[in-house]
Amino acid sequence: MQTESLLARFLTGLAPLRPRAVWAHGSLAGGDYQEGRSDLDLIAVLPDAVDLTTVRRVVALHRRLRTEPLAAKLHCSYLTPATLDDPDRSHLTWAHRRVMRRPVAPVTRRELHDFGRVLHGETPAGLLPPVPQRQLTAFVVRDQRDFWRPHVDRARLWKQDVWVDLGLVTFARATVTLRDGRLISKREALAELPSLGAPAEVVEDITRRRYGAAAPTADDAWLTRRAESTRAYLAPAIDTLVTTYG
């Protein structure tokens, strides 16, 4: 399996940095992983402060892996014991073939506690502070209100598969988290969307592309209709969700 081969090479390459832990979250941990379609979402906890030398070694590691199948989908944030507590703090991250800094959000932290997969070292419960429900709720509402809702108004984005897929799936997951206090997988989110009033043909399109055989290339008329339908649904749905739980 290409995924396990890549993970083994990654862990071997990371070993000189003496990580205290390496964890998987997202689909890889939650039982909904689709090889070649899902991202490999990882967290590494390094023992010491991340200085310039560490950054260079991390970048070199990911560049050595770049010819590996699936390497473009491997994303990893690098934390230290001294920087674990603050969910708003940005951390060294390799994602989308480049180095950046970004937070490890409350949803990711809750995933790690609920079903994180330990690839190396200590467990999330042994290192990572728990996520209070009020913190999780506040983050989910803020994400829908401040990120997704403004982006719904940017029409040009919504002809892209990634915006349609993540926009609807994230909304369904947010709804269940706020309503029931639990996290769900992307597959469960897709099953939830029809009962939330999402456009059936768009949900079917996402499901087919994620779990079915390769779909034929879509024409512009379908992409336009899909974008309009998705935006017409999400705008009032997000507004109602934020009003209800904000």
Side-chain angles (χ1 to χ4, degrees), residues 15-214:
L17 290 174
R18 300 178 294 109
R20 287 185 57 175
V22 181
W23 306 318
H25 59 98
S27 299
L28 185 62
D32 191 30
Y33 179 72
Q34 305 291 307
E35 186 167 83
R37 298 180 181 181
S38 300
D39 289 333
L40 297 161
D41 296 312
L42 308 180
I43 301 289
V45 182
L46 303 181
D48 304 310
V50 176
D51 56 17
L52 184 57
T53 298
T54 304
V55 174
R56 287 171 175 164
R57 294 173 75 178
V58 165
V59 171
L61 165 60
H62 286 280
R63 286 178 174 169
R64 286 197 302 272
L65 295 173
R66 62 188 169 189
T67 60
E68 289 283 314
L70 309 180
K73 294 184 174 295
L74 193 155
H75 306 157
C76 187
S77 290
Y78 294 86
L79 287 65
T80 69
T83 64
L84 282 169
D85 289 358
D86 185 359
D88 294 321
R89 179 170 184 153
S90 292
H91 304 274
L92 171 68
T93 299
W94 181 271
H96 309 294
R97 298 182 182 269
R98 63 187 179 91
V99 69
M100 61 181 73
R101 295 188 67 85
R102 68 184 185 190
V104 177
V107 168
T108 297
R109 292 165 178 264
R110 177 63 71 84
E111 285 184 359
L112 288 167
H113 278 288
D114 287 359
F115 52 82
R117 176 180 168 186
V118 177
L119 302 177
H120 169 79
E122 301 176 54
T123 66
L127 285 172
L128 196 64
V131 181
Q133 189 63 35
R134 66 183 180 278
Q135 185 184 82
L136 182 64
T137 295
F139 172 80
V140 170
V141 170
R142 187 169 66 246
D143 185 55
Q144 288 291 303
R145 181 191 65 217
D146 297 346
F147 180 82
W148 285 104
R149 184 59 182 87
H151 280 81
V152 171
D153 293 333
R154 299 175 62 183
R156 64 179 181 80
L157 298 175
W158 295 86
K159 281 191 174 183
Q160 301 174 50
D161 291 347
V162 64
W163 282 95
V164 172
D165 297 2
L166 286 179
L168 285 171
V169 166
T170 303
F171 172 75
R173 296 172 91 173
T175 299
V176 172
T177 296
L178 295 172
R179 186 187 68 202
D180 303 337
R182 62 189 178 92
L183 304 180
I184 61 173
S185 68
K186 290 180 179 177
R187 186 185 291 273
E188 290 172 312
L190 287 168
E192 188 78 22
L193 279 166
S195 68
L196 297 176
E201 64 176 355
V202 179
V203 176
E204 291 167 3
D205 173 64
I206 299 170
T207 303
R208 181 173 59 252
R209 285 186 288 100
R210 181 169 175 81
Y211 299 107

Side-chain angles (χ1 to χ4, degrees), residues 159 201-202 219-230:
K159 281 191 174 183
E201 64 176 355
V202 179
D219 61 30
D220 190 65
W222 160 242
L223 295 179
T224 298
R225 187 171 82 251
R226 185 184 69 176
E228 292 173 349
S229 180
T230 301

